[in-house]
Amino acid sequence: MTVSIHYSIAEISEICKTKWIKENQHLTQPEFLCLDSRRINAPEKTIFFALKNRQQNATQFIKGLYQKGVRHFLIDDSDFSIKNVPLANVLFVSDVVNALQDLAIHHRNQFQKLPVIGITGSNGKTVVKEWLNQLLQNTASIVRSPKSYNSQIGVPISILNIRPQHTLGIFEAGISLVDEMAKLEKIIQPKIGILTNIGTAHDEGFLNKTQKLREKLELFKNAKVLIFCANDIWIKNEVLAFQKENQGLKLFQWGENEDCHFRITTIKKNVFIEDSDQGKSSHTNIEGIAFGKSYSISIPFSDDASVENAIQCLCLLIFRDVAIPEMLQRFEKLEPVAMRLEIKPGINRCTILNDSYSNDLHSLSIALDFLRQQKNHPKKTVILSDISQSGMESEQLYKQVATLLQHHHIDTLIGIGPEIQKHQSIFSAIKNPVFYSQTDHFLKEIQLHHFNDESILIKGARKFEFEKISHLLENKVHQTVLSINLNSLVYNLKKYREILKPATKIMAMVKAFSYGTGSHEIASVLEYNKVDYLAVAYADEGVELRKAGISLPIMVMNIDETTFEAIVNHNLEPEIFSFRILHAFEHYLQVNDIEKYPVHLKIDTGMHRLGFLEHEIDELSSLLNLNKFIQVNSVFTHLAASDEESKDEFTFQQYDIFIRCTNAIEDKIGYTFLRHIANTTAISRLPQLQMDMVRLGIGLYGIDSNEKMQAQLQNVSVLKTTISQIRKVPAEETIGYGRHGKLLQDSTIATVRLGYADGYPRSLGNGRGKMLVACKLAPVIGNVCMDMIMLDITGLENIQEGDDVIVFGENPSLPMLAVWAGTIPYEIMTGISQRVKRVYFEE
């Protein structure tokens, strides 16, 4: 997280009540505050706040940041040595998070006249915030939380974005523990509050739902009004009790009851409206009465959550007395809040990063950081629209945009819109800037062959319809898509880190195309999130990662003589599992005059697949003793049954053998190395086996056979296809090859674009497999074909050709699909064909 600031280092010291432990008055004053060592773009103008948690202390990155040019640091580590930063400013506080929050409180206090809307609840916070921005953006200069920045760290970063030109603030607040909201209330200081709802999110941090609700309500203790749904009598009673304790708070209740300030009279779904741009589209009509006046809106959504979120927005407009007909008509044009930056394969070996959900300075900075992570292409291109409603003078705005692009080393800029075109001279430092007044002008002149081997960020406000550009540049393949949620991958990594000892390293398994999810795309995220090692099955997988710019140490688990050259040329680290391989690799190193090449020894402690046996350890150790060609970086073994509690005795026998072997090797060769034995399940189920490093595999993707750990993980992958045809088939007819799918009644059959060539197991035919259609599971009927599958959708309503079908995701889950197929999730994941398009996204 990085934010622009306007405070000198002396002012920051005073506001945050710091102690100077190193002072240099002659340095350039900071212009940016950064919390993430990976996202620093202007080092000499940045102050780094070194956060720490149970797993790591960010002060460990200060030496590297200093070498890159950072000269301002704020820390809370009393053991930090200033010897490595001789020319820096170093401020010490008792707690960095508190210091960040104190700075945000000070900043908020400079804008006491700014009306601020504060939003909290279990779900819907971000949607309500973004819809209010869509509805109000032409009536006010709005500052709001970027994306879902609503945490103890995200809220202060959001507040620090307030500038004098802003006339309205909209900020969301989320909590997961008791006493967290009190500090957020001091930071946000909302005058208008919106409580969305209370669900199960973060239940584990509270004694019960009542305690959680009361904690959330603390956001509004100094507000003038609170808008909330009064349909739930429990919520209503708690809010009324809260009001009694805070006499200055007025309530704006909405719901179906007569005593509501806005009483809903009608909610009518699936109303088709003729749209000049899109033809007929389905809407929901909402009508109600407030203060004796009738209000009516129509929204292009039919799900209950969207209806509730839209009513929250309507009530805010009514309270602010801006619910005029022109404003109410804007509800018809509300856009879905698809807060995700998608990574897709593009034409001519390009990678497309589509982030056309919003376009403002902060979200641009986030997207550019993500673009920089993509190391598979050295060339970076940005297609950028006008930035509207920034509240800044255009020249100042685009100077900041140009600075961002330069700091991120953008090679090519394609600017689209009258404003960015008018200020094109500001972008002269970019190598290849090109400008168009409209999207259609660009589309008419585009030369697709000019885009080759580059990462292309598409960042535009919705009105510029950049989805047309994305569609044009995408590689058109299969309508079956495997979506990979990179946020969930990082979340799962964090969950495993939380149960590791601080010194234990992580080797992430990215073999077999990262269990079917991707290669460099996954590896770059893991590298960015600072895992210590990667592991692949074969050398060509490691070579591909190196060509994509991955610099982490990579262990290759299965090598032979033909791969030695590739391994050494690409700085890969081989697993040595036999005397034959050891002698052959040592000979290769000797011939090529290469010394101390890193290797990893595999010990066979009972898996009996690969590795040295215990009785071979003395001979192995003797060969490695004083060996100038080979350096042992780690020794490991593979557990055969770590997921089965009934076989723990055998697992600990393996551990005992491993300890004896590694002790013997270390005694003989005279130096230490990393020891690792724990795989995904053992990390959580057998923490005593963590040792120096663990090998984390399928757990990254949300699957762990330890049920307690599984419950904490997030699903990462969704396999989705579409319906190609729907037909009515009478009873007694049969479906598919072999006439195995016999119909017992008149039925509706949907054919979907997926088959066993895509990796859907043939064993799931004839009712054993099911797919999600319109929120209901529809069984597979007949045999699974090579490229198609037939589903029985009899009784499901409003299903059309082209509709999406979920093959696996949350429901049905991948483990559920594996059970139906009589196999394991690994086989399903790794079996997904390469012709299935992978789409990566970050929320």
Side-chain angles (χ1 to χ4, degrees):
M1 297 179 184
T2 302
V3 64
S4 176
I5 56 173
H6 300 277
Y7 297 101
S8 68
I9 188 71
E11 288 171 326
I12 292 172
S13 176
E14 182 180 354
I15 294 165
C16 299
K17 302 176 181 64
T18 75
K19 173 185 175 183
W20 289 84
I21 58 174
K22 188 82 178 62
E23 185 174 1
N24 186 339
Q25 296 284 356
H26 304 292
L27 295 172
T28 302
Q29 291 298 319
E31 296 179 17
F32 303 97
L33 185 155
C34 186
L35 307 175
D36 190 332
S37 62
R38 302 162 297 187
R39 298 190 176 188
I40 290 179
N41 302 312
E44 72 286 352
K45 298 178 181 179
T46 296
I47 179 168
F48 180 66
F49 276 43
L51 298 172
K52 65 182 178 183
N53 55 35
R54 182 180 175 273
Q55 280 69 45
Q56 64 181 23
N57 188 335
T59 53
Q60 66 183 294
F61 307 122
I62 287 180
K63 182 179 178 181
L65 292 175
Y66 182 82
Q67 292 171 349
K68 291 179 180 179
V70 179
R71 291 296 180 266
H72 305 286
F73 302 95
L74 188 145
I75 67 172
D76 57 12
D77 184 356
S78 57
D79 296 326
F80 177 73
S81 172
I82 60 173
K83 293 180 180 178
N84 294 322
V85 290
L87 300 177
N89 282 317
V90 183
L91 305 177
F92 177 80
V93 292
S94 59
D95 187 284
V96 171
V97 174
N98 286 341
L100 175 67
Q101 293 175 340
D102 288 343
L103 183 62
I105 291 170
H106 174 86
H107 189 71
R108 175 68 180 92
N109 287 337
Q110 309 311 302
F111 302 92
Q112 283 297 306
K113 294 183 179 180
L114 179 71
V116 168
I117 302 167
I119 307 171
T120 193
S122 296
N123 305 104
K125 298 184 291 293
T126 303
V127 173
V128 171
K129 178 198 68 188
E130 292 302 322
W131 281 0
L132 285 175
N133 180 66
Q134 291 179 35
L135 293 165
L136 297 169
Q137 61 182 352
N138 293 328
T139 67
S141 175
I142 299 173
V143 57
R144 69 194 195 278
S145 308
K147 306 236 176 198
S148 296
Y149 279 30
N150 58 37
S151 68
Q152 297 291 303
I153 295 171
V155 168
I157 289 291
S158 302
I159 292 294
L160 287 169
N161 281 300
I162 299 175
R163 297 292 178 264
Q165 66 267 19
H166 292 128
T167 58
L168 178 65
I170 311 175
F171 300 101
E172 54 178 294
I175 57 172
S176 55
L177 295 170
V178 174
D179 297 329
E180 287 186 336
M181 191 62 86
K183 200 64 178 278
L184 298 187
E185 189 277 332
K186 293 179 182 177
I187 300 171
I188 298 174
Q189 301 175 32
K191 299 305 178 188
I192 301 173
I194 298 176
L195 177 69
T196 56
N197 56 50
I198 298 297
T200 59
H202 303 298
D203 274 356
E204 65 277 8
F206 304 92
L207 294 175
N208 48 49
K209 285 179 65 177
T210 298
Q211 185 187 48
K212 182 167 70 172
L213 173 56
R214 290 175 181 172
E215 285 290 323
K216 289 183 180 291
L217 289 173
E218 284 297 305
L219 179 62
F220 312 119
K221 67 179 183 181
N222 292 306
K224 292 181 178 179
V225 66
L226 170 58
I227 298 168
F228 74 103
C229 177
N231 285 339
D232 188 319
I233 191 64
W234 165 70
I235 291 179
K236 180 177 179 178
N237 288 338
E238 288 296 330
V239 172
L240 289 172
F242 178 76
Q243 185 193 30
K244 286 183 179 179
E245 299 169 5
N246 300 274
Q247 295 293 323
L249 179 67
K250 294 181 179 179
L251 301 181
F252 189 109
Q253 305 178 41
W254 65 267
E256 299 168 351
N257 300 321
E258 291 288 339
D259 61 345
C260 287
H261 298 91
F262 176 71
R263 181 171 62 85
I264 300 168
T265 55
T266 304
I267 296 178
K268 189 175 182 180
K269 297 184 178 182
N270 299 317
V271 177
F272 284 91
I273 293 179
E274 195 72 37
D275 187 287
S276 57
D277 297 324
Q278 301 177 349
K280 283 188 176 182
S281 57
S282 179
H283 279 59
T284 297
N285 290 345
I286 303 167
E287 297 177 359
I289 299 172
F291 308 111
K293 185 176 179 179
S294 296
Y295 294 91
S296 176
I297 59 172
S298 179
I299 62 171
F301 309 96
S302 58
D303 60 289
D304 291 340
S306 293
V307 171
E308 183 175 305
N309 293 333
I311 296 173
Q312 299 276 19
C313 294
L314 174 60
C315 291
L316 185 281
L317 300 187
I318 294 171
F319 174 77
R320 295 194 81 210
D321 199 25
V322 293
I324 58 178
E326 176 191 350
M327 191 72 74
L328 299 183
Q329 289 173 6
R330 295 182 184 179
F331 280 89
E332 295 183 12
K333 302 294 184 181
L334 283 177
E335 298 280 357
V337 182
M339 292 181 306
R340 44 194 262 173
L341 190 157
E342 293 186 331
I343 310 176
K344 302 179 180 180
I347 60 171
N348 306 328
R349 301 166 304 282
C350 291
T351 298
I352 308 301
L353 286 76
N354 183 18
D355 189 21
S356 51
Y357 132 79
S358 67
N359 196 19
D360 55 59
L361 272 176
H362 204 87
S363 68
L364 174 61
S365 177
I366 294 170
L368 288 171
D369 282 335
F370 195 76
L371 175 65
R372 189 172 57 178
Q373 292 179 45
Q374 311 310 307
K375 298 181 179 180
N376 51 317
H377 302 296
K379 184 180 178 183
K380 311 294 184 189
T381 296
V382 173
I383 302 176
L384 181 68
S385 79
D386 281 355
I387 297 177
S388 59
Q389 306 300 322
S390 70
M392 300 170 62
E393 292 293 331
S394 291
E395 185 171 351
Q396 180 189 6
L397 169 67
Y398 289 107
K399 281 182 178 178
Q400 288 199 29
V401 171
T403 300
L404 272 175
L405 297 176
Q406 287 173 251
H407 286 161
H408 286 83
H409 307 294
I410 299 306
D411 299 286
T412 301
L413 168 66
I414 299 171
I416 298 177
E419 284 300 310
I420 195 171
Q421 186 180 47
K422 186 168 78 173
H423 294 88
Q424 59 183 281
S425 60
I426 292 173
F427 298 93
S428 57
I430 305 295
K431 293 178 185 176
N432 303 300
V434 186
F435 298 89
Y436 300 87
S437 61
Q438 298 176 26
T439 303
D440 287 344
H441 292 173
F442 167 69
L443 293 173
K444 286 177 183 177
E445 296 186 22
I446 189 172
Q447 301 283 332
L448 293 179
H449 65 275
H450 287 172
F451 296 94
N452 283 282
D453 295 299
E454 57 194 284
S455 293
I456 305 170
L457 171 63
I458 300 173
K459 188 85 175 92
R462 289 189 182 278
K463 68 179 182 180
F464 286 91
E465 299 180 312
F466 272 16
E467 63 272 11
K468 295 178 181 177
I469 299 175
S470 177
H471 182 72
L472 194 64
L473 295 177
E474 287 175 26
N475 190 19
K476 312 305 187 294
V477 283
H478 208 314
Q479 286 200 41
T480 299
V481 174
L482 181 67
S483 297
I484 295 99
N485 186 331
L486 299 179
N487 295 86
S488 293
L489 183 85
V490 173
Y491 175 88
N492 294 339
L493 174 62
K494 178 184 175 184
K495 281 298 175 183
Y496 282 101
R497 274 196 170 127
E498 287 175 356
I499 58 177
L500 291 178
K501 299 167 188 172
T504 301
K505 299 179 182 295
I506 294 178
M507 175 182 281
M509 312 301 290
V510 292
K511 60 182 181 177
F513 198 54
S514 294
Y515 295 81
T517 61
S519 178
H520 61 81
E521 298 90 349
I522 300 298
S524 69
V525 173
L526 295 171
E527 181 174 51
Y528 186 74
N529 285 279
K530 300 188 182 300
V531 301
D532 303 282
Y533 257 95
L534 298 176
V536 296
Y538 295 99
D540 55 355
E541 295 176 312
V543 171
E544 182 182 352
L545 294 181
R546 287 286 184 251
K547 288 181 177 178
I550 302 300
S551 58
L552 276 177
I554 300 174
M555 182 177 79
V556 181
M557 302 180 73
N558 205 327
I559 70 167
D560 59 45
E561 290 89 336
T562 64
T563 62
F564 290 168
E565 184 174 1
I567 285 171
V568 171
N569 287 345
H570 291 90
N571 194 27
L572 306 175
E573 301 179 12
E575 170 190 315
I576 303 297
F577 51 82
S578 71
F579 288 112
R580 181 184 64 81
I581 289 294
L582 175 63
H583 292 310
F585 190 60
E586 182 183 7
H587 176 71
Y588 176 86
L589 296 174
Q590 187 174 2
V591 168
N592 289 278
D593 196 26
I594 299 171
E595 296 185 1
K596 292 188 175 181
Y597 197 88
V599 303
H600 303 262
L601 302 180
K602 176 74 172 286
I603 309 298
D604 182 359
T605 59
M607 179 77 171
H608 298 319
R609 186 171 61 183
L610 291 174
F612 295 96
L613 295 168
E614 184 174 11
H615 71 265
E616 298 174 319
I617 296 303
D618 286 344
E619 181 182 355
L620 173 64
S621 301
S622 296
L623 291 171
L624 295 172
N625 183 31
L626 302 178
N627 190 315
K628 68 176 184 177
F629 301 106
I630 287 176
Q631 172 81 26
V632 179
N633 269 16
S634 87
V635 181
F636 70 104
T637 192
H638 199 105
L639 298 176
S642 63
D643 55 341
E644 297 184 49
E645 186 176 356
S646 63
K647 296 174 182 173
D648 279 354
E649 183 179 353
F650 181 80
T651 296
F652 284 106
Q653 285 178 14
Q654 287 191 267
Y655 172 76
D656 291 340
I657 294 171
F658 182 66
I659 291 298
R660 290 197 298 269
C661 292
T662 53
N663 286 344
I665 294 171
E666 187 173 18
D667 288 345
K668 190 72 173 180
I669 66 176
Y671 59 86
T672 61
F673 43 78
L674 296 173
R675 309 180 196 210
H676 46 113
I677 188 172
N679 54 8
T680 290
T681 302
I683 293 172
S684 59
R685 206 179 71 77
L686 302 167
Q688 61 269 53
L689 302 186
Q690 288 179 9
M691 306 190 78
D692 300 316
M693 186 159 65
V694 296
R695 300 189 302 278
L696 179 57
I698 201 166
L700 283 169
Y701 311 99
I703 298 171
D704 193 315
S705 57
N706 178 6
E707 292 183 3
K708 290 183 179 179
M709 192 66 196
Q710 176 72 62
Q712 300 180 52
L713 302 178
Q714 292 182 356
N715 179 59
V716 169
S717 305
V718 176
L719 182 60
K720 182 169 63 176
T721 188
T722 58
I723 297 174
S724 57
Q725 187 178 49
I726 297 174
R727 64 173 65 212
K728 302 288 186 182
V729 183
E732 302 301 321
E733 290 289 332
T734 60
I735 307 296
Y737 286 119
R739 305 197 69 195
H740 293 294
K742 187 172 182 179
L743 299 178
L744 302 179
Q745 61 179 356
D746 293 347
S747 303
T748 306
I749 305 300
T751 301
V752 300
R753 297 177 170 95
L754 178 81
Y756 58 75
D758 301 297
Y760 194 80
R762 201 165 176 274
S763 60
L764 290 175
N766 300 301
R768 284 183 290 274
K770 299 177 181 66
M771 299 182 192
L772 197 69
V773 183
C775 299
K776 294 187 178 179
L777 290 176
V780 174
I781 185 164
N783 287 336
V784 174
C785 307
M786 180 182 289
D787 309 298
M788 287 171 280
I789 294 171
M790 286 69 76
L791 303 176
D792 187 345
I793 60 170
T794 306
L796 300 184
E797 299 179 354
N798 300 319
I799 311 299
Q800 299 178 3
E801 293 177 357
D803 282 357
D804 288 339
V805 175
I806 304 298
V807 182
F808 65 72
E810 294 293 343
N811 181 31
S813 67
L814 190 58
M816 189 185 302
L817 200 71
V819 169
W820 293 342
T823 184
I824 57 176
Y826 294 81
E827 184 176 352
I828 303 286
M829 287 182 69
T830 57
I832 299 170
S833 168
Q834 291 299 301
R835 77 177 185 180
V836 172
K837 181 166 69 173
R838 270 74 172 171
V839 174
Y840 306 86
F841 64 90
E842 181 179 81
E843 299 286 355

